[in-house]
Amino acid sequence: MQHARPLPTYLVQRYLGWKATTYKENRAWYRRLASEGQRPRAMVIACCDSRVQVTSIFGADQGEFFVHRNIANLVPPYEPDGQQHGTSAAVEYAVTALKVAHLIVLGHSQCGGVKGCLDMCQGRAPELEETSSFVGRWMDILRPGVETIDSLPEDQQTEALEKEAVLTSLRNLMTFPFVAKAVEEDELTLHGTWTTIGEGGLEAYDPARGQFRPVNPTE
Amino acid sequence: MQHARPLPTYLVQRYLGWKATTYKENRAWYRRLASEGQRPRAMVIACCDSRVQVTSIFGADQGEFFVHRNIANLVPPYEPDGQQHGTSAAVEYAVTALKVAHLIVLGHSQCGGVKGCLDMCQGRAPELEETSSFVGRWMDILRPGVETIDSLPEDQQTEALEKEAVLTSLRNLMTFPFVAKAVEEDELTLHGTWTTIGEGGLEAYDPARGQFRPVNPTE
Amino acid sequence: MQHARPLPTYLVQRYLGWKATTYKENRAWYRRLASEGQRPRAMVIACCDSRVQVTSIFGADQGEFFVHRNIANLVPPYEPDGQQHGTSAAVEYAVTALKVAHLIVLGHSQCGGVKGCLDMCQGRAPELEETSSFVGRWMDILRPGVETIDSLPEDQQTEALEKEAVLTSLRNLMTFPFVAKAVEEDELTLHGTWTTIGEGGLEAYDPARGQFRPVNPTE
Amino acid sequence: MQHARPLPTYLVQRYLGWKATTYKENRAWYRRLASEGQRPRAMVIACCDSRVQVTSIFGADQGEFFVHRNIANLVPPYEPDGQQHGTSAAVEYAVTALKVAHLIVLGHSQCGGVKGCLDMCQGRAPELEETSSFVGRWMDILRPGVETIDSLPEDQQTEALEKEAVLTSLRNLMTFPFVAKAVEEDELTLHGTWTTIGEGGLEAYDPARGQFRPVNPTE
């Protein structure tokens, strides 16, 4: 691998800072996590977006969350065709091997992937329609969801589609036999959430009302 | 989505804590991140493992790292076949849309995915060989790497394969035309790293010596 | 005390969250609790087990329960020998100084202490018989109770002994003169309860029938 | 046990509320905690005082903290005499069986037990000096600590002795061979903390400065 380069110095420096503080203070716990293995309570599926910090928002301790992050927090439908499905592999490992109790899909505002999907489906991004566009093909997962928001005023479409992406993932999760079985046997619960980058808000999907609602409506 | 459930109360409580402290202290920055969009300096590809906290190790602030996390931090080879490739989509978005300057692959010790690959390739996990095993098919990406560690003493094989997974990802990254181009034009550098869960160690691949070395050899 | 270390950062962060939310919302009450002193209605004696959350199960507000937690929720017999008896001190303070109206002993399923007592008394844990074993000597309090469950089928013994531990504590409580007096003068009532970790069940001892019964038999 | 009484209705009602909400939402996790056993990261030793809510202050999830609560959060010195030592048994179980990574002693303001100790040692509470006083004998553990605060102005003595109680427990913990060994082998860290009931403050003992300091001095 002649193309690899040394780690940028600023990251080395920060790592050494972490080692001398956080690591040092928690060494006993980290060693135990290493020797006994992980036992996370929840899996979180979130976006790669640099502005979403899953563990920070939920005050998560090392060892608590099994985290999969991809473009637009999407889960494709169950398709056991022998091909490489990274998201499906992560879900399979979390549910069948780690037996997590919660599976939380976390969407967010200003999502570039969702915006690209909307542009593509409404004819404004022909380059994403090309076979060679990995982002375009990945966002195909959300294509059926565009219908559900098409009749909304234009300035509400992106946010609605971001939330629809969360629901699409939840629906697709239920097409996985091992997810459906765990849910039906009360061994796993699914949760849909959506956060706003700028305001630090958090909404959770309320199945009784069929809509997303702020987790703290009175604030 | 009648299957979704409300967010567990302990997470709501912790979120409200984050909102009242971290968010409140950084509100101006978060609002700017929302209005101006993300501009991450680096993409990190790490494992979903709950014991690996990418942003913590590197002291990353909100907005700094575009993070993709999958089983065993693997990147498949370039394959523009019109199918859904979540990892390839994340890499494409980071390199062509966000134009990140660094792409860091972060492996780790005690990796369950790598262990599964080793078991599968050495005949101890026939269930992973089945077509329907998403984890097995995903770990096929690392199958060629098993040859490189097969002759090592058994107790050194897992660690060696964890590091080989990092190198496999770096090699596969170079098969993406847009990655190779950005690297050749000095707009992107690739980095291979590997961390130990229990000891909080960090090694980086040194291309001059062709091996991983502790980032702080003198400590 | 050169051995003390700083508080782990994740706990500091969570504490600050609590301060900014729960504390802030209840400040007036907490200040009054501080200036006027505590006046708890009940004392609860429960196990140290991390899976038993006394205040959560009973929806207890700050100031309501005086809580003593030890291994297997045991109360030793009255023994005013001038030695240090932590549990007896807690009971004495609750009954004579705070004059609580209820004293609730809360047992639970999967109790490691009770399991150890059973193993010890049936010859499977010789290490617990050693003089130097604090856990073994503490579980001696329950030793007489093992006789009462010895003839049961093996798979029913642990649960039966967990409930016997609650009854043993209630019986021992009545050997304390100040407890017996308060009970006889109708200033204190004793209650025996047992909860199941996995199913969230709660049973209460029914003196009329001489057995534990679900608090909600119709559910 | 003819003295036991049915559970007060208000507690039955609250329990049923917990069962229908918190339990129902977290059923999968509670079942897993039951089947796999507890694996708490920390042990907390706190006071029985009804105004101290350990799990709430630290945003603790079910399964995170092994909690021992006694009068004035005291740990007696190591004394393997074959007698019943409830606190020593709890510490032994946490450190040797559960292998917790942190042991946190949590003191608090307005502590009735500490106040009693001060009154007793300064001659204002002769009843606590009696052999039959369980509270008096228990507070003997803190008697040597009174010397350290005796020369302070009277209105500073109680708070100083509350903090001394935390340090006494930390010192006594180090007299347990299994605690000292775990600390020396970096498998356990000890932490001293003290909280104010009315103001919701939290101070942690800083070994470098030899004093308690607010965890958030800039707030």
Side-chain angles (χ1 to χ4, degrees):
Chain A
M1 252 318 292
Q2 80 274 27
H3 290 290
R5 289 285 165 271
L7 204 59
T9 309
Y10 81 105
L11 292 182
V12 171
Q13 185 179 344
R14 289 194 195 168
Y15 157 71
L16 293 175
W18 171 85
K19 182 81 185 284
T21 55
T22 303
Y23 172 74
K24 202 174 161 200
E25 289 163 19
N26 296 282
R27 187 175 179 182
W29 177 239
Y30 294 171
R31 290 172 81 167
R32 199 170 143 209
L33 279 178
S35 63
E36 298 186 4
Q38 61 177 326
R39 201 172 94 177
R41 175 166 176 176
M43 175 182 191
V44 180
I45 298 175
C47 186
C48 300
D49 194 300
S50 63
R51 298 167 297 178
V52 177
Q53 290 198 339
V54 182
T55 47
S56 174
I57 284 179
F58 288 124
D61 181 22
Q62 198 141 353
E64 282 195 319
F65 288 170
F66 186 78
V67 182
H68 174 57
R69 295 179 68 171
N70 64 31
I71 299 281
N73 36 272
L74 288 174
V75 177
Y78 179 65
E79 202 173 359
D81 56 6
Q83 299 299 306
Q84 285 152 4
H85 295 282
T87 297
S88 304
V91 170
E92 182 184 272
Y93 193 78
V95 174
T96 67
L98 298 175
K99 298 186 195 305
V100 295
H102 307 289
L103 208 162
I104 300 164
V105 177
L106 175 63
H108 70 98
S109 66
Q110 281 90 26
C111 182
V114 167
K115 185 65 170 43
C117 180
L118 197 61
D119 288 346
M120 172 176 76
C121 295
Q122 294 179 340
R124 289 188 302 276
E127 72 284 6
L128 289 174
E129 294 283 13
E130 287 172 28
T131 303
S132 63
S133 168
F134 290 113
V135 171
R137 299 300 58 70
W138 180 249
M139 294 310 304
D140 280 346
I141 298 171
L142 185 53
R143 199 179 279 266
V146 175
E147 277 177 40
T148 70
I149 59 98
D150 232 1
S151 58
L152 292 175
E154 213 181 298
D155 63 350
Q156 296 176 19
Q157 292 188 352
T158 307
E159 180 179 319
L161 192 56
E162 285 162 359
K163 291 175 177 175
E164 181 59 30
V166 174
L167 297 181
T168 296
S169 290
L170 291 176
R171 269 185 230 109
N172 286 346
L173 278 168
M174 288 299 286
T175 65
F176 287 71
F178 47 82
V179 171
K181 184 165 177 287
V183 166
E184 275 148 29
E185 294 181 351
D186 265 345
E187 292 183 340
L188 175 69
T189 51
L190 306 185
H191 310 269
T193 58
W194 177 82
T195 181
T196 53
I197 299 294
E199 297 309 320
L202 183 68
E203 300 191 5
Y205 182 73
D206 178 343
R209 300 173 186 251
Q211 60 185 67
F212 281 81
R213 291 162 56 82
V215 301
N216 187 28
T218 63
E219 75 179 312
Chain B
M1 249 319 289
Q2 80 273 29
H3 289 291
R5 290 284 165 271
L7 204 59
T9 311
Y10 81 104
L11 292 181
V12 171
Q13 186 182 340
R14 289 194 197 164
Y15 156 71
L16 294 174
W18 171 84
K19 180 83 185 282
T21 53
T22 304
Y23 172 73
K24 203 173 160 198
E25 289 161 20
N26 297 284
R27 188 175 177 178
W29 176 238
Y30 293 172
R31 291 174 86 164
R32 197 170 143 208
L33 279 177
S35 64
E36 298 185 3
Q38 61 176 326
R39 206 172 87 180
R41 176 164 174 180
M43 175 182 191
V44 179
I45 298 175
C47 186
C48 300
D49 194 300
S50 65
R51 299 167 297 179
V52 177
Q53 290 198 340
V54 182
T55 47
S56 176
I57 285 178
F58 288 123
D61 188 16
Q62 200 142 353
E64 284 196 320
F65 286 173
F66 185 79
V67 182
H68 174 57
R69 293 178 69 172
N70 64 30
I71 300 281
N73 37 272
L74 288 174
V75 177
Y78 179 65
E79 203 174 358
D81 55 7
Q83 300 299 307
Q84 284 151 3
H85 296 282
T87 298
S88 304
V91 171
E92 182 185 272
Y93 193 79
V95 175
T96 66
L98 299 174
K99 299 188 193 306
V100 296
H102 308 292
L103 207 163
I104 300 162
V105 178
L106 174 63
H108 70 98
S109 66
Q110 280 89 25
C111 183
V114 167
K115 183 65 169 42
C117 180
L118 197 61
D119 288 344
M120 173 176 75
C121 295
Q122 295 179 340
R124 289 187 304 273
E127 73 282 4
L128 288 175
E129 294 283 12
E130 288 173 27
T131 305
S132 61
S133 168
F134 290 113
V135 171
R137 299 298 59 71
W138 179 251
M139 294 311 304
D140 280 345
I141 298 170
L142 185 54
R143 198 180 279 265
V146 175
E147 276 178 39
T148 68
I149 59 97
D150 231 3
S151 58
L152 290 176
E154 213 180 298
D155 63 350
Q156 297 176 19
Q157 292 187 353
T158 308
E159 181 178 318
L161 192 56
E162 286 162 359
K163 292 175 177 174
E164 181 58 31
V166 174
L167 297 181
T168 296
S169 290
L170 291 176
R171 271 185 228 108
N172 287 346
L173 278 167
M174 289 299 286
T175 65
F176 288 71
F178 48 83
V179 171
K181 185 165 176 287
V183 167
E184 275 147 27
E185 294 179 353
D186 265 346
E187 293 183 339
L188 174 69
T189 52
L190 306 185
H191 311 270
T193 58
W194 176 83
T195 180
T196 53
I197 299 291
E199 297 311 321
L202 183 68
E203 300 190 6
Y205 182 74
D206 178 343
R209 300 174 187 249
Q211 60 184 65
F212 282 81
R213 292 163 55 83
V215 301
N216 187 27
T218 62
E219 73 181 313
Chain C
M1 252 316 292
Q2 80 273 29
H3 289 290
R5 289 286 165 270
L7 204 58
T9 311
Y10 82 105
L11 292 181
V12 171
Q13 186 181 340
R14 289 192 195 166
Y15 157 71
L16 294 174
W18 171 85
K19 181 84 185 283
T21 55
T22 304
Y23 171 74
K24 204 175 161 198
E25 289 161 21
N26 297 283
R27 189 175 177 181
W29 176 238
Y30 293 171
R31 291 173 85 164
R32 199 171 141 207
L33 280 176
S35 63
E36 298 185 2
Q38 61 176 327
R39 207 172 86 179
R41 176 165 175 180
M43 175 182 191
V44 180
I45 298 175
C47 186
C48 300
D49 193 300
S50 65
R51 299 166 298 179
V52 177
Q53 291 198 339
V54 182
T55 48
S56 175
I57 284 179
F58 288 123
D61 189 16
Q62 198 141 355
E64 283 196 319
F65 287 172
F66 186 78
V67 183
H68 175 57
R69 295 178 69 171
N70 64 30
I71 300 281
N73 35 272
L74 289 173
V75 178
Y78 179 66
E79 203 174 358
D81 56 6
Q83 301 299 308
Q84 284 151 4
H85 296 282
T87 298
S88 304
V91 170
E92 182 184 272
Y93 193 79
V95 174
T96 67
L98 299 174
K99 299 188 194 304
V100 295
H102 308 290
L103 207 164
I104 300 163
V105 178
L106 174 63
H108 70 98
S109 67
Q110 280 90 26
C111 182
V114 168
K115 183 65 169 42
C117 180
L118 197 61
D119 288 344
M120 173 175 74
C121 295
Q122 295 180 340
R124 290 187 302 273
E127 72 284 4
L128 288 175
E129 295 282 13
E130 288 173 26
T131 303
S132 62
S133 168
F134 291 112
V135 171
R137 299 300 56 72
W138 179 250
M139 294 311 303
D140 279 346
I141 298 171
L142 185 53
R143 199 181 278 267
V146 175
E147 277 177 40
T148 69
I149 59 97
D150 232 2
S151 59
L152 291 175
E154 214 180 298
D155 62 350
Q156 296 175 20
Q157 293 187 352
T158 308
E159 181 179 317
L161 193 56
E162 285 161 359
K163 292 175 177 174
E164 182 59 30
V166 174
L167 297 181
T168 296
S169 290
L170 291 176
R171 270 186 229 107
N172 287 345
L173 278 168
M174 288 299 287
T175 65
F176 288 72
F178 48 82
V179 171
K181 184 164 177 288
V183 167
E184 276 148 27
E185 295 179 352
D186 265 346
E187 292 183 339
L188 174 69
T189 52
L190 307 185
H191 310 269
T193 57
W194 177 81
T195 181
T196 52
I197 299 293
E199 298 310 320
L202 183 68
E203 300 191 7
Y205 182 72
D206 179 342
R209 300 175 187 248
Q211 62 185 63
F212 281 81
R213 292 163 55 84
V215 300
N216 186 27
T218 62
E219 74 180 311
Chain D
M1 250 318 291
Q2 78 275 29
H3 290 290
R5 289 286 165 270
L7 204 60
T9 310
Y10 82 105
L11 292 182
V12 171
Q13 186 179 343
R14 288 195 196 165
Y15 158 70
L16 293 175
W18 171 83
K19 181 81 185 284
T21 54
T22 304
Y23 172 73
K24 202 173 160 201
E25 289 163 20
N26 297 283
R27 188 175 179 181
W29 177 240
Y30 293 171
R31 291 172 82 167
R32 198 170 144 210
L33 279 177
S35 64
E36 298 187 2
Q38 60 176 327
R39 202 172 93 179
R41 175 166 176 176
M43 176 182 191
V44 180
I45 297 175
C47 186
C48 300
D49 193 300
S50 64
R51 300 167 296 180
V52 177
Q53 291 198 339
V54 182
T55 48
S56 175
I57 285 178
F58 288 125
D61 182 21
Q62 198 142 355
E64 282 195 321
F65 287 171
F66 186 78
V67 182
H68 175 56
R69 295 178 69 171
N70 64 31
I71 300 281
N73 36 272
L74 289 173
V75 177
Y78 179 66
E79 202 174 357
D81 55 7
Q83 300 299 309
Q84 285 152 3
H85 296 282
T87 298
S88 304
V91 170
E92 181 185 272
Y93 193 78
V95 174
T96 67
L98 297 174
K99 298 187 194 307
V100 296
H102 307 289
L103 209 162
I104 300 164
V105 178
L106 175 64
H108 70 99
S109 66
Q110 281 89 26
C111 183
V114 167
K115 184 64 170 41
C117 180
L118 198 61
D119 288 345
M120 172 176 77
C121 294
Q122 295 179 341
R124 290 187 302 274
E127 72 283 6
L128 288 175
E129 294 283 13
E130 288 173 26
T131 304
S132 62
S133 168
F134 291 114
V135 172
R137 299 298 60 68
W138 180 250
M139 294 310 304
D140 280 346
I141 299 171
L142 185 54
R143 199 180 278 267
V146 175
E147 277 178 41
T148 68
I149 60 97
D150 233 1
S151 58
L152 291 175
E154 213 180 299
D155 62 350
Q156 296 176 19
Q157 292 187 353
T158 309
E159 181 179 317
L161 192 56
E162 285 161 358
K163 291 174 178 175
E164 182 60 30
V166 173
L167 297 181
T168 295
S169 290
L170 291 176
R171 270 185 229 107
N172 286 347
L173 278 168
M174 288 300 286
T175 65
F176 288 72
F178 46 84
V179 171
K181 185 165 176 286
V183 167
E184 275 147 29
E185 293 180 353
D186 264 346
E187 292 183 341
L188 174 69
T189 51
L190 307 184
H191 310 269
T193 58
W194 177 82
T195 180
T196 52
I197 300 293
E199 297 310 319
L202 184 68
E203 300 191 5
Y205 182 74
D206 178 342
R209 298 171 187 252
Q211 60 184 67
F212 281 81
R213 291 163 56 84
V215 300
N216 188 26
T218 62
E219 72 181 314

